[in-house]
Amino acid sequence: MKIQVKRKAVDTVMLPLNQSTFNKKLMSDHNLAFSFMSVVKLDLRIGDTLTYKGELLTINQEPNLKRDHLYQYDVVFEGHRHTLSRFILKDEGAFTFSYTGQPDDFMAMFLVCVNAVDSGWTLGEVEELEDVTIDFDKVDCLSALTMIAQAFEAEWDIKGKVISFKKTVGVAKDFPVSYGMGKGLYSLTRQSINDKVIVTRAYAVGGDKNLPEGVIGNLKLNDYIENNVDLYGIREGIFEDEEIYPKRTGTATAVSQSNEEIFTLTDTSIDFNLNGLKVEGETPKIVFKSGSLNGNDFEITSYNHSSKTIRYKANKDSNGNFFPFGVTVAEIGDKYTLVGIRMPQSYVDAAYAELTAGRLKYLTDNSAPRVVYDLELDLIELKRRETLPDAGDIIPVTDTELGVNENIRVTSVSYPGHYPDVLENGMTFTAEVGNEVTYTLIQKIQNDVKEQKQVVTQYSKHSWENDRRNAQALNEFIGKVLDPDGNLEQPLQQAIVGMFGTPSMYYDLDGISMSVNDGGDPNAFAMTAGRLIHRVFKIDGLGYIWNLDPFAVTGLNPLKSYYLAAKCSKTSLIGEWVLTETQFPTEGDVAFWYFNFGILSSVLEGVRSFRATKGFTVINGGQIETDVITAFMINVQRLFAQLITVGSDGFVNAGISGLADKGNESQRFWAGATEENRYTAPFQVLNDGNIKSYKGEIGGFELTPTSFQSKVIDPGGDPTSASSGIILSDWGVLSRNAGMSFLPSSTGLDFSASLVGETSVVRPIERPFSVADVRAGVFGIRRQDLVTQVLDQLRGAWGRYGGMFSSLKNLGAIYEPVRIEISDSDTYMSEHDYFLVKGSGNNKVYLPSDGVEAGRVVIIKNATAGTIDILGNGSEIYKLNNTVETAVSISQGTIRTYRFSGSQWIETNG
């Protein structure tokens, strides 16, 4: 039975269909592979096509041809999905871009790109799912399609040029199979996949944003759920998703810009008032989830609930540049969310519900060993039932002895190309089934080798002289080199370029770890599963990233050493580790490459060691290019005698300097600015040990551009409860906000000072409220003294003081101001006078009137030859004999004290 091959719709050769195998894998391979002998050379080329089961298949890589009397051909025709690997995904001409949307948004963008270079692609079924954001960087369209599916936790399928995108592709087939004659199943093989830990008890932890009152750390479920504990015992695991927290995703209905720093966003659908919902200790921010500001967050400065408008400010870099800027601003339709806000209960409930659902899925997916089954189906039974399982379909599989009885996904199928038209002895239909889908990126995603910026360094004359001296010493060294053991004819080799390693050794390993002396047993060795990424070898049309299975071995011979190599298929991106006593050459097998990794030693002093041989090193001129450098000591005098900048992709804002450009003040480290602006960077370390930093955290303290304060400031709940925290700012040293009220606002009092010292004990029950406006250089407050009686003394108080104390104990001398007045004019006491000695001259003394408040004390001594008159100066004087006068007289040598009650001066003995 033959099938026609065409070239540009013109018939060319016929190929034997009975010597082909059809292969199809969910979101991966779709091909018809031929392997046959021919007596004549056939004209087969890239681009030739054939039609199989209604679909056009194409040769995408040169057929393998071997001539040995006959012509041996291995040729693969691939479905349209493989054509997608030829094209790079672009959005409006950009190869590197970020895209946000639902599946239909992504697929619309995808089809515009693909149809521009290969017309005829259309969309089939597309399910509606929640928005995601994906970053694309020079990725081919086939890999991009899988990236999109993986982001949505969905699947794609292609029939002809029609792409469907659904949560689950395939259909449930009414084709129950079980082991035995006439039951559809010849054989069943179970394979365990060891990259999953069994979990029978699951907890859940979400994100740390917008946490409800009383929740500390992260959103979490306080209980746990269990499954299969009776089978596997308690095996704990945690479902974690930082994106699950109380949140609301909104859409901008209007945007505006007030100035270069202030922007607004209006969302008429906001259903709660943001004001008063700030999370203590956090800065409310708006975080954009789409548009040109996607991924950026900005501080919210205010919110107007009547217009439902959020006001936010731009971010400012160390050079004074603002972002957003220019045309890169928010637009109507952009999506956003809020952080630093306590959300209403409905959003909290929704977050807990999402966390609960995620935990349940996590437990369901992990509470049993992950396995796949290889099925060999009965072709005659398939023919009789007129069914043909396809990748993605679901079929019932039963095997009582293996304990299998469930509906399982078919992830790949393989069968002879001429089935079901022809039935022959020895035909097999194989399928791999398993309920987990692997997202395989068939093509490479991106090259991880980035262009490196070369640094040209200027050296001083002193360095030049050192270099010349070292070069002369090197020449002497070359002339003296010899082999002390007498084994080498030429102990020194000179060359222009030195290359170490072979092309087959030039690869990287991803996600793979090695266990030498596994479990403490020197005769046990293990490798985990992972990926081998080759820098030279590749399979045309598929790529250069092989998936390697896990490997473990015990019972090694302690007297022998072993070679370790990755055995990788030449036709598919799968491989395995092999540990042998003999080394395999790279091309030692027609179907596999052997990429040697290294040598496992024999048991020496009770343990084995491993030395890798993979890798590639080039030495040319003054450069060495290699993967790893290991040394017991590195002595490089000039390693940092230059500027070394740190960063990439426009964020080169840190570095190390070895330049002595400012003597002892020369900079050694900086961060937060470019190389040109390093001496004004927010963080600097100078040669003399001086550190400059304008913001940051040190232990439990926070450094801002104008203050140094505790990260947590607790003002105390009422006047007599304990407060905590300290702030040092250019306004003073305070236990709360610098320059602001010291007591809680609930007291109605406003006490501020340059220095506050506080002691706290258990508060009394009283909760006074009064009005005051007091300023002092120092407050000395015992919070337990701030009871009603004390605060009542301050109810009408006002003024400015050098110090104010709730209690005071003096352990030394007290100094009080003294004024001696001997002028002939009347004496007027000012608000600054305390002790007045009245000598000769006019005998009238006027008590203070300006700036006098309740409790003011003055003392007057009569040092004249007669009596003096004391006048109230607008206030009455309450005399010792309990009479009230506007003036009193005191005799020679008498001392009187006057205290102001608020309306009268009260006379007491001196």
Side-chain angles (χ1 to χ4, degrees), residues 576-594:
E576 61 181 344
W577 292 105
V578 291
L579 190 69
T580 60
E581 295 179 37
T582 57
Q583 187 176 29
F584 285 96
T586 304
E587 300 283 357
D589 192 309
V590 67
F592 298 95
W593 284 305
Y594 286 85

Side-chain angles (χ1 to χ4, degrees), residues 25 32 90 119 145 182 213 254 346 379 450 458 490 514 535 545 565 605 607-608 623 655 683 697 742 765:
K25 187 173 184 179
L32 186 65
K90 299 174 285 292
S119 62
L145 190 58
E213 190 76 37
S346 60
L379 286 172
K450 302 296 183 182
Q458 292 184 339
Q490 181 66 37
M514 173 190 298
R535 303 186 190 183
I545 303 175
E605 298 183 0
V607 296
R608 292 183 189 266
Q623 301 181 80
F683 177 77
E697 293 183 4
F742 168 63
I765 299 175

Side-chain angles (χ1 to χ4, degrees), residues 111-322:
L111 289 180
V112 168
C113 172
V114 173
N115 280 319
V117 290
D118 184 31
S119 62
W121 289 88
T122 60
L123 206 55
E125 296 182 76
V126 178
E127 287 188 13
E128 184 176 340
L129 301 169
E130 297 227 354
D131 287 8
V132 301
T133 299
I134 306 175
D135 295 322
F136 298 100
D137 185 10
K138 300 181 284 295
V139 60
D140 69 88
C141 290
L142 184 56
S143 295
L145 190 58
T146 301
M147 289 173 65
I148 298 170
Q150 188 171 12
F152 283 104
E153 295 184 355
E155 300 169 5
W156 59 261
D157 188 32
I158 296 177
K159 288 184 169 55
K161 285 190 171 183
V162 180
I163 305 175
S164 293
F165 194 95
K166 302 167 61 178
K167 202 66 177 174
T168 303
V169 302
V171 297
K173 286 290 182 70
D174 185 18
F175 182 63
V177 297
S178 59
Y179 187 76
M181 180 67 69
K183 296 182 180 180
L185 186 60
Y186 277 152
S187 67
L188 181 151
T189 303
R190 181 172 67 193
Q191 297 182 2
S192 175
I193 301 176
N194 294 324
D195 61 349
K196 188 185 83 167
V197 177
I198 299 173
V199 174
T200 59
R201 175 182 288 177
Y203 303 86
V205 176
D208 60 357
K209 302 179 182 68
N210 301 348
L211 297 179
E213 190 76 37
V215 176
I216 300 174
N218 290 69
L219 193 73
K220 60 180 177 295
L221 300 177
N222 294 324
D223 59 351
Y224 57 81
I225 56 176
E226 293 181 334
N227 188 37
N228 288 344
V229 172
D230 54 335
L231 295 176
Y232 308 112
I234 296 176
R235 296 168 179 257
E236 295 184 316
I238 301 175
F239 167 72
E240 296 181 87
D241 190 340
E242 288 287 336
E243 291 303 311
I244 298 179
Y245 56 88
K247 63 177 180 286
R248 172 188 179 274
T249 300
T251 304
T253 55
V255 296
S256 68
Q257 181 174 356
S258 302
N259 52 52
E260 66 175 351
E261 188 174 8
I262 301 300
F263 297 80
T264 67
L265 178 147
T266 300
D267 178 1
T268 56
S269 67
I270 294 178
D271 55 356
F272 63 97
N273 191 340
L274 276 62
N275 292 315
L277 298 182
K278 173 182 176 295
V279 176
E280 190 66 30
E282 294 187 22
T283 301
K285 292 184 177 182
I286 181 171
V287 183
F288 285 90
K289 311 300 285 187
S290 68
S292 59
L293 299 183
N294 181 37
N296 290 279
D297 57 75
F298 306 94
E299 180 180 347
I300 298 173
T301 59
S302 64
Y303 171 69
N304 186 327
H305 190 55
S306 61
S307 63
K308 299 189 176 181
T309 298
I310 299 169
R311 189 170 183 261
Y312 63 96
K313 68 178 183 180
N315 296 327
K316 186 177 181 180
D317 65 20
S318 59
N319 296 321
N321 300 317
F322 289 103

Side-chain angles (χ1 to χ4, degrees), residues 20-24 30-33 52-53 57 390 413-417:
S20 68
T21 302
F22 177 72
N23 303 284
K24 188 175 183 182
H30 176 211
N31 63 60
L32 186 65
Y52 179 75
K53 296 189 185 300
L57 308 180
D390 196 6
V413 296
S414 179
Y415 53 85

Side-chain angles (χ1 to χ4, degrees), residues 339-399:
V339 297
I341 298 289
R342 293 205 190 279
M343 306 296 289
Q345 190 61 41
S346 60
Y347 294 98
V348 176
D349 294 341
Y352 277 119
E354 185 180 0
L355 198 57
T356 300
R359 179 180 64 177
L360 177 60
K361 184 178 185 303
Y362 167 76
L363 182 65
T364 301
D365 292 343
N366 292 276
S367 58
R370 182 183 173 195
V371 297
V372 295
Y373 298 93
D374 290 330
L375 308 182
E376 186 177 337
L377 302 180
D378 185 344
L379 286 172
I380 297 177
E381 190 64 20
L382 288 171
K383 177 75 171 178
R384 187 179 66 79
R385 299 191 198 184
E386 296 184 346
T387 188
L388 194 64
D390 196 6
D393 290 346
I394 302 171
I395 62 174
V397 179
T398 304
D399 189 309

